[in-house]
Amino acid sequence: QVQLVESGGGLVQPGESLRLSCAASGMSFSAFSGYTMGWYRQAPGKQRELVAGITSGGSTNYVDSVQGRFTISRDNARNTVYLQMITLKPEDTAVYYCNAHRRRLLGDDDFWGQGTQATVST
């Protein structure tokens, strides 16, 4: 059974950094490399939004509000995806979720982690 486990959240002050990790278990290294991985976040009272994504080929995309501050990367040998966040702002406060997505002929594979809280506050 595939599981995604996020870690690295916490409480930081504005301008500081956090590095989130998402480790995938229950799949082989070769299978993991075929997934598009994404980091989403959900702030209180708001809808979940895609923050950053990275394809199996390594192409990345970011929501405008984090462009230049967040960097998504993956280590297929460790079945892990990362989100490096710098110059954090109070509006980055949210629960951050990891997602693994893969298109298949008979229906897509889509997995979610349980989330990790990141709080940016003085």
Side-chain angles (χ1 to χ4, degrees), residues 92-122:
D92 295 318
T93 295
V95 178
Y96 284 74
Y97 297 91
C98 178
N99 172 260
H101 181 83
R102 181 177 65 173
R103 290 186 175 184
R104 303 185 71 182
L105 286 176
L106 298 180
D108 295 350
D109 290 333
D110 200 48
F111 302 102
W112 291 90
Q114 82 290 347
T116 185
Q117 176 72 46
T119 302
V120 185
S121 175
T122 55

Side-chain angles (χ1 to χ4, degrees), residues 40 63 65 78 82 93 98 100 110:
Y40 290 73
V63 68
S65 59
R78 297 179 182 271
Y82 304 97
T93 295
C98 178
D110 200 48

